[in-house]
Amino acid sequence: TNGTFQFESAGMQKYLKDLKPDRFEDLIAMNALYRPGPLAYIPNFINRKHGKEEVVYDLADMEEHLNDTYGITVYQEQVMLLSQKLANFTKGDADVLRKAMGKKDRKTLDKLKPQFIENASQKGHDPKVLEKIWTDWEAFASYAFNKSHSTCYAFVAFQTGYLKAHYPGEYMSALLTNNQSNIDKVTFFMEECKRMGINVLGPDVNESQVNFAVNKKGEIRFGLGAIKGVGENAVHELIAERDKNGPFANIFDLTKRVNLRSINKKTLEGLAFAGAFDGFYNVHRAQYFHPEGGDEPNLLEKAIRFANNASANESANQQSLFGGTTMVTLAEPTIPPCEPWGLMEKLRREKDVVGMYLSGHPLDDYKIEFRNFVSTDIANIEDKKLVEQSIAGVVVDCYEKVSQKNNKPYGGFTIEDYSGNVKIMMWSEEYLKYKHLISVGQMLYIKGMMKPRFNSDDQFEFKVNNMMLLADVREKMLNSVLINIKTDRIQPPFLQELYQLLDASKGNALVKLNLIDEQQKLVVNTVARRFKINFDNDTMLKLEQLELDYRINV
């Protein structure tokens, strides 16, 4: 990745050279404007630049220093220069003003304001206009950049923007590598990759590098160095052998070719759990850990034994060249058949060794529930206190204890969605009511509220009002589906597709139709009484493929 960026630097410099100076000035200005105080001036800046709004100055003397920014004060330097020009501030006074505004030092500002008004008035400027100028400065300057600072930021933004536009895979893999110790940021950037249409693939012993890297197809491969239990020396050993003698054919070829002092059983287990062996033909993850008999070794242990025996056999064969005996070739062990792991087991193992889900997410099958019945992400539940909220997620941890005070059981669990997780405590009767639903891997739908903790007014925790399995939500809560259809689409081929879709998805949800005539601005509401459907993920996908807008329980 670094090599690619260095190679591209010549192209970037040419692009930067062709960039018109005023365009780069605009980048610098927008970087400085895009913060809480100056943010309100962005529409004025854009309109004035394009001639849609007149460029005006509070005082004619301000044009010299505000001409480049269309009459809008953008930088701290402009405040300093204008205070010197309008009110004869010394350079020292101007710097004190800058610091006071930046630190919101009200005492110093109150001291400097009369000096500014009085000095500028003596130069013939209107005191009312000076009051307005000072008020504007106070409003914006607490968040303002100096121009030199903003220039550096704009230049870095230009460089990274260029790389993201022209080398999206390499740029995003560099970002992922730089943040790979922070799972939250890795998750965030992987979502950005998905938005950009870049596939982020799991680790693969025949393609992955130490860190995130781009393959020949422009996809990003997860780095082997991010897998727990797989040491850096082991990763370098694998990659060096692969680069020297080609891809590994299977697990036996791998163990036979590498140094088993560096790549031991624990290393192989981590690679298998993370899916780094998924590229080997006709072997799934469960087979690496499934023994043929009660005390028989599993496939990884067989592969290690095979490699050791192959090494001993090779030594014996080398000696036989001089002794004249027949050479022996070892046959690879058989691979025991077994049932593949389910998705949840596969994902749980991935998270154990990588810290995140790679093959998918346990909640991916519940898009309808999240869109229509979940009121907030777990990461945002603290924003609304004392208001009932609905959340959903997968249980990633749970425990049960017995109270020493009354000998009654109580417990707690951690539930996680795409955004984050929250720990929930439950006591006595409440815990007994819901404990049958709580287990690791279980997906739950919960209604509850952020309430003050016991004996606390400022510390809050999530209290459960009601709880059910997420898998039951659709059946219990989805009553109807409203489909919006534009009248210009009502043609025989379309109607036939819609009829087949509804007829194939029989269930209990009522089907409502909104027929929309955009030209006449008319809407006809009706009910498709001959259909009641099961609004599952397949039905939702087919509606989206037909480009139909739909609503639940309207």
Side-chain angles (χ1 to χ4, degrees):
T1 302
N2 289 336
T4 304
F5 286 0
Q6 289 166 9
F7 173 81
E8 178 55 24
S9 63
M12 188 190 299
Q13 292 301 324
K14 182 182 183 301
Y15 192 87
L16 185 60
K17 187 177 180 181
D18 294 338
L19 189 68
K20 295 180 180 179
D22 66 317
R23 295 280 181 86
F24 198 69
E25 282 287 340
D26 289 344
L27 288 177
I28 299 168
M30 294 307 289
N31 188 77
L33 283 166
Y34 210 87
R35 53 205 66 255
L39 193 65
Y41 294 107
I42 289 178
N44 305 93
F45 187 96
I46 294 171
N47 289 332
R48 291 183 181 189
K49 172 181 170 57
H50 292 288
K52 297 178 181 178
E53 180 181 314
E54 183 183 359
V55 177
V56 295
Y57 304 93
D58 291 323
L59 296 171
D61 283 355
M62 299 176 77
E63 182 174 358
E64 178 186 356
H65 298 304
L66 298 185
N67 181 55
D68 290 342
T69 55
Y70 311 105
I72 297 169
T73 307
V74 175
Y75 309 112
Q76 290 180 348
E77 289 94 334
Q78 290 174 316
V79 173
M80 297 171 69
L81 291 168
L82 288 170
S83 67
Q84 293 174 69
K85 182 171 184 177
L86 299 177
N88 291 330
F89 272 34
T90 65
K91 290 182 179 180
D93 289 339
D95 194 47
V96 171
L97 173 61
R98 176 189 65 81
K99 290 178 182 178
M101 286 184 168
K103 295 179 180 179
K104 302 180 183 179
D105 183 350
R106 175 56 56 185
K107 185 177 180 180
T108 303
L109 286 174
D110 290 344
K111 181 181 176 181
L112 290 172
K113 181 180 178 180
Q115 179 184 344
F116 174 79
I117 300 294
E118 183 179 346
N119 289 3
S121 298
Q122 290 176 1
K123 295 187 71 173
H125 298 305
D126 186 344
K128 291 183 179 180
V129 177
L130 295 172
E131 285 280 354
K132 176 188 178 300
I133 293 169
W134 186 268
T135 302
D136 288 344
W137 285 357
E138 285 184 321
F140 111 96
S142 58
Y143 298 99
F145 263 15
N146 57 64
K147 188 173 182 180
S148 58
H149 197 171
S150 190
T151 301
C152 295
Y153 270 75
F155 185 61
V156 172
F158 170 82
Q159 290 176 309
T160 53
Y162 180 93
L163 293 170
K164 188 174 183 181
H166 294 276
Y167 291 89
E170 288 81 359
Y171 175 73
M172 293 307 297
S173 69
L175 270 181
L176 287 162
T177 295
N178 193 50
N179 293 280
Q180 67 182 11
S181 60
N182 186 324
I183 294 301
D184 290 339
K185 287 192 174 182
V186 168
T187 304
F188 174 82
F189 289 126
M190 286 179 70
E191 284 299 314
E192 175 65 5
C193 289
K194 187 184 297 184
R195 187 197 67 77
M196 294 168 65
I198 303 171
N199 288 332
V200 181
L201 308 175
D204 187 305
V205 289
N206 279 330
E207 191 170 68
S208 292
Q209 302 298 323
V210 178
N211 299 313
F212 289 89
V214 182
N215 64 17
K216 294 178 181 178
K217 297 179 181 179
E219 301 164 321
I220 298 175
R221 271 286 178 194
F222 214 95
L224 298 177
I227 304 172
K228 295 176 185 175
V230 180
E232 189 173 338
N233 291 337
V235 174
H236 287 296
E237 168 88 18
L238 274 171
I239 294 173
E241 171 57 31
R242 184 184 73 199
D243 291 345
K244 182 179 179 181
N245 295 309
F248 302 107
N250 53 38
I251 187 65
F252 306 114
D253 182 43
L254 186 148
T255 54
K256 189 169 65 173
R257 287 166 52 184
V258 300
N259 183 351
L260 292 176
R261 288 190 294 273
S262 299
I263 302 173
N264 53 29
K265 180 184 173 183
K266 184 180 179 182
T267 304
L268 296 174
E269 287 176 344
L271 291 168
F273 285 140
F277 299 148
D278 286 1
F280 292 152
Y281 177 71
N282 213 22
V283 186
H284 56 75
R285 297 183 200 181
Q287 287 176 288
Y288 291 102
F289 302 93
H290 180 73
E292 287 186 280
D295 297 324
E296 290 292 315
N298 62 31
L299 182 56
L300 294 179
E301 292 166 338
K302 282 184 180 181
I304 293 171
R305 290 186 187 182
F306 170 77
N308 289 329
N309 292 336
S311 179
N313 187 58
E314 186 177 343
S315 299
N317 285 338
Q318 288 175 351
Q319 293 176 10
S320 71
L321 291 174
F322 301 99
T325 57
T326 304
M327 295 179 65
V328 179
T329 301
L330 289 179
E332 293 179 353
T334 58
I335 299 175
C338 70
E339 286 295 316
W341 286 335
L343 178 62
M344 285 302 302
E345 177 69 9
K346 185 188 291 187
L347 293 175
R348 184 177 68 81
R349 300 285 191 175
E350 286 177 355
K351 191 165 186 179
D352 286 343
V353 295
V354 180
M356 62 187 301
Y357 304 115
L358 297 177
S359 301
H361 195 283
L363 302 172
D364 284 345
D365 289 335
Y366 296 95
K367 293 179 181 178
I368 293 173
E369 286 78 2
F370 273 88
R371 288 179 186 176
N372 298 282
F373 302 110
V374 173
S375 66
T376 186
D377 294 334
I378 287 176
N380 299 320
I381 58 174
E382 292 188 9
D383 294 344
K384 294 182 180 179
K385 297 178 173 65
L386 302 177
V387 176
E388 185 173 77
Q389 304 177 75
S390 54
I391 61 173
V394 56
V395 177
V396 294
D397 184 41
C398 62
Y399 66 88
E400 178 179 306
K401 294 183 179 181
V402 176
S403 171
Q404 294 181 351
K405 185 177 180 180
N406 56 21
N407 205 34
K408 289 185 177 181
Y410 67 94
F413 61 97
T414 302
I415 187 169
E416 175 182 277
D417 67 2
Y418 295 97
S419 68
N421 62 69
V422 63
K423 293 180 179 179
I424 297 175
M425 283 285 297
M426 305 180 79
W427 303 96
S428 308
E429 287 77 14
E430 181 188 41
Y431 176 68
L432 291 173
K433 181 180 178 181
Y434 295 114
K435 66 174 290 187
H436 65 287
L437 299 177
I438 302 169
S439 60
V440 173
Q442 190 68 271
M443 284 162 279
L444 303 176
Y445 175 79
I446 304 172
K447 288 187 176 182
M449 188 180 297
M450 292 298 294
K451 294 182 177 181
R453 290 183 178 176
F454 182 69
N455 287 335
S456 174
D457 294 327
D458 57 351
Q459 291 185 323
F460 285 74
E461 61 184 348
F462 192 81
K463 294 291 187 181
V464 174
N465 294 338
N466 192 18
M467 183 190 301
M468 70 173 78
L469 294 177
L470 187 56
D472 293 340
V473 168
R474 209 175 303 184
E475 181 182 348
K476 294 180 178 180
M477 299 178 65
L478 196 156
N479 303 316
S480 65
V481 181
L482 173 67
I483 303 173
N484 293 314
I485 303 175
K486 295 179 181 178
T487 53
D488 58 4
R489 296 193 64 189
I490 301 177
Q491 302 294 334
F494 169 78
L495 291 175
Q496 185 176 2
E497 283 189 83
L498 181 60
Y499 178 92
Q500 290 174 347
L501 187 161
L502 298 176
D503 190 53
S505 179
K506 291 180 168 49
N508 299 316
L510 189 67
V511 178
K512 300 178 181 179
L513 301 175
N514 267 358
L515 305 180
I516 303 169
D517 188 329
E518 292 186 329
Q519 289 186 343
Q520 300 294 327
K521 295 183 179 180
L522 294 174
V523 177
V524 177
N525 303 312
T526 185
V527 177
R529 299 190 182 280
R530 66 182 300 176
F531 296 111
K532 282 195 173 183
I533 65 172
N534 172 29
F535 196 68
D536 56 13
N537 291 337
D538 187 50
T539 304
M540 178 184 70
L541 179 62
K542 288 177 180 177
L543 281 175
E544 291 174 352
Q545 288 172 344
L546 284 174
E547 298 181 354
L548 287 172
D549 177 49
Y550 58 87
R551 298 288 184 271
I552 302 298
N553 290 356
V554 176

